Amino acid sequence: MSELGFGWRLVVAPVRGTVSPVDVPEGSSLPAGSRLGSIRSRREDVHVSAAYGGVLAEWLVHDGDLVDAGDPIARLYPEVSA
């Protein structure tokens, strides 16, 4: 069984472009590697995934938003084993 950790972590955009998040509701538990969406740059579509497991606390962008590399796109509460 797991419980929520105390801190939260940000998922950031790896490139500049237009965001297309997947349809994952806030409060969903996500395993590490879960796809969170993609960012369309001038050259390519870049997939964005959660580097760690956790609970999606909040989307910080909407479909079609323009982001720069390093901009936060989602906030996750990490899960820790009890």
Side-chain angles (χ1 to χ4, degrees), residues 1-80:
M1 185 155 194
S2 62
E3 60 186 54
L4 293 177
F6 290 103
W8 48 268
R9 298 180 181 180
L10 290 175
V11 177
V12 298
V15 296
R16 176 183 170 84
T18 305
V19 176
S20 295
V22 296
D23 188 20
V24 175
E26 293 174 354
S28 297
S29 183
L30 304 170
S34 294
R35 185 169 176 212
L36 295 174
S38 62
I39 298 176
R40 174 168 281 178
S41 71
R42 290 184 175 187
R43 297 182 201 156
E44 62 185 333
D45 282 346
V46 177
H47 296 290
V48 179
S49 300
Y52 35 80
V55 174
L56 179 61
E58 177 181 25
W59 283 108
L60 303 172
V61 295
H62 299 292
D63 190 35
D65 284 353
L66 181 63
V67 295
D68 282 321
D71 283 354
I73 61 171
R75 189 166 57 99
L76 296 177
Y77 287 116
E79 288 186 332
V80 291

